[in-house]
Amino acid sequence: MFLLSILIMALLIIVILSFMLGFSHPLPWIVISVLATIGIIHDKLLKRKQLIWQDSMATGIALIDHDHKRLVMLINMFQEATEFNISARKVQLALDEVIQYTKYHFNREEQLMALNQYPGLKDHQLQHQQMIQEMELYMQEYRSDPDVAIEHILQFLQSWLMDHIKGNDRQYIPYLTITSLDNDAELHKPRIDDAKPL
Ligand SMILES: [Fe+2]
């Protein structure tokens, strides 16, 4: 990524300098075409590493699907922040947002399961807790060696979310006949305060 940034900077300088040859000279336009091609290829490569929401991942429960889609989006935003690595602060903010929303979503999912007396609630809660504990370990690594940890965190988040949505989250679908938390003000209240960054 660093080398790519240097290359783009160099090409931009060439564009500026070559315009001194006149707007009718082909050189600046050729370099601009190269820059545009690099941008398109880079964008395609970036998207190939991202999570893609598929209809087969839907649970059919609007609240859950909304949260899962948002998590996919937030993890992709974290991935973009790490790819461009403009500032450590932006990477940290993107990661904080993933963690906060994950905790918020776990809380909502567990409330729905409890409301429906889902028999697998305890096991499912345990899976959520184990995920948060694993993230805490990754965050320790992040504090001591962010460059290495970022790659580990990204891989963990991507694979965990996909496996969980396609696996364990499908088990509660037949049990969740009450699919909204709207009828209970306390349940509906966002628990973002429970979801401080690790
Ligand atoms: Fe879950």
Side-chain angles (χ1 to χ4, degrees):
M1 195 62 214
F2 178 71
L3 287 175
L4 183 64
S5 305
I6 298 284
L7 175 67
I8 289 170
M9 286 297 290
L11 289 173
L12 282 171
I13 291 168
I14 291 171
V15 169
I16 293 165
L17 292 176
S18 57
F19 270 128
M20 290 176 183
L21 299 169
F23 285 102
S24 57
H25 199 283
L27 182 61
W29 304 109
I30 292 169
V31 181
I32 287 172
S33 306
V34 172
L35 272 168
T37 308
I38 290 174
I40 292 167
I41 293 171
H42 181 260
D43 197 50
K44 284 201 167 152
L45 290 175
L46 185 77
K47 295 259 182 304
R48 276 174 60 180
K49 292 188 211 164
Q50 293 193 329
L51 299 177
I52 298 169
W53 175 265
Q54 297 150 6
D55 288 343
S56 61
M57 290 157 62
T59 61
I61 301 158
L63 185 145
I64 301 281
D65 289 339
H66 165 273
D67 282 2
H68 286 167
K69 283 180 189 172
R70 185 159 176 83
L71 281 171
V72 166
M73 188 192 78
L74 290 174
I75 291 173
N76 285 342
M77 284 171 70
F78 170 59
Q79 189 258 346
E80 277 182 35
T82 62
E83 194 75 24
F84 290 103
N85 203 14
I86 297 166
S87 75
R89 171 114 186 100
K90 284 203 169 153
V91 173
Q92 175 76 61
L93 283 174
L95 181 56
D96 284 349
E97 215 168 330
V98 173
I99 294 167
Q100 286 184 25
Y101 204 83
T102 300
K103 290 184 174 180
Y104 172 61
H105 163 64
F106 283 174
N107 192 288
R108 298 219 294 176
E109 201 177 67
E110 288 169 17
Q111 287 177 66
L112 264 187
M113 287 190 275
L115 206 59
N116 286 279
Q117 298 176 337
Y118 171 53
L121 171 64
K122 281 226 154 59
D123 284 345
H124 205 114
Q125 268 178 323
L126 191 65
Q127 298 233 340
H128 288 171
Q129 285 161 11
Q130 284 169 345
M131 188 275 184
I132 296 297
Q133 282 165 7
E134 257 188 273
M135 268 308 293
E136 281 168 1
L137 292 176
Y138 281 118
M139 292 309 288
Q140 282 174 22
E141 186 190 16
Y142 181 73
R143 282 186 278 273
S144 60
D145 191 351
D147 290 340
V148 174
I150 274 174
E151 201 50 45
H152 294 162
I153 291 170
L154 187 59
Q155 282 173 9
F156 172 68
L157 286 172
Q158 287 182 328
S159 62
W160 192 91
L161 185 70
M162 286 294 123
D163 291 349
H164 192 71
I165 290 177
K166 290 178 176 175
N168 287 77
D169 280 353
R170 303 210 71 76
Q171 292 170 6
Y172 59 61
I173 296 174
Y175 295 87
L176 266 57
T177 49
I178 305 169
T179 56
S180 169
L181 298 173
D182 290 353
N183 54 355
D184 190 319
E186 187 57 33
L187 287 174
H188 188 56
K189 197 169 71 179
R191 299 274 183 91
I192 280 292
D193 54 328
D194 289 342
K196 294 191 181 86
L198 297 173

